[in-house]
Amino acid sequence: VGRAEALGLLRGDAPRAGLQPDVAEFLARKSDAGAAPVLRVRYEREAYESLASDPVRMTFDTELCYAPFDPRSPFEVGGRGVEPRAIPDGWIATPVDGAIVEFKFTDSCPSWMSRLVDELELQRESIPKYVLSVAHAMARGVLRESAFAAFPSR
């Protein structure tokens, strides 16, 4: 989906005929669930990529924060692409110790990356940035459970 079409889809425009099956499925599921954004999440990312035969990436995410999202607010095209406006109260820090480091590879972890993990005594841990931000927003009363009323419970 191109940028202009993505902007239209985010505004609720009808999708064009012949969309890729995965995009059409996403839109159908979004509609069935009554899904809508409730929070915006942002962070600073420093990324490194090896362009060797089996490319790998390392990313370091810091400054994780969120802002409540007002679905009535119009979408704009900002400097970094499609930017939905958040409410003017600003961004709230999501508490995370240190940086969130991700190692990304296709087939198998390169030996140098395994040595780096061992040397730095890194531990594998799931750190879902959006989920942490939603939990923090709910704990602070910034977001209420009613924001998720349209979603089926699981």
Side-chain angles (χ1 to χ4, degrees):
V1 175
R3 180 175 293 216
E5 187 173 9
L7 181 58
L9 292 172
L10 290 172
R11 283 189 178 136
D13 295 352
R16 66 174 162 79
L19 276 179
Q20 294 176 356
D22 54 347
V23 176
E25 180 182 355
F26 170 80
L27 291 173
R29 288 182 182 214
K30 176 186 170 295
S31 176
D32 290 347
V38 294
L39 280 186
R40 291 180 63 200
V41 174
R42 75 176 188 188
Y43 45 90
E44 294 292 322
R45 172 165 280 178
E46 191 172 335
Y48 298 90
E49 183 174 10
S50 165
L51 301 177
S53 60
D54 185 17
V56 296
R57 290 185 63 216
M58 291 175 53
T59 60
F60 299 84
D61 298 339
T62 57
E63 308 299 325
L64 177 61
C65 55
Y66 64 89
F69 178 78
D70 181 351
R72 296 165 299 180
S73 189
F75 288 87
E76 304 180 321
V77 176
R80 294 187 184 182
V82 176
E83 290 287 328
R85 279 193 220 149
I87 64 170
D89 293 344
W91 295 87
I92 301 165
T94 303
V96 176
D97 292 333
I100 299 170
V101 180
E102 297 178 18
F103 297 136
K104 303 166 185 183
F105 48 87
T106 305
D107 294 320
S108 60
C109 183
S111 60
W112 65 266
M113 196 176 273
S114 294
R115 288 192 306 273
L116 180 65
V117 168
D118 290 343
E119 183 67 30
L120 297 176
E121 298 179 354
L122 300 177
Q123 301 297 314
R124 183 180 207 167
E125 183 178 350
S126 174
I127 305 177
K129 294 178 273 287
Y130 185 77
V131 172
L132 289 176
S133 297
V134 166
H136 188 259
M138 291 181 77
R140 290 193 61 197
V142 173
L143 187 63
R144 307 230 185 281
E145 197 167 322
S146 60
F148 302 96
F151 298 99
S153 57
R154 293 181 187 223

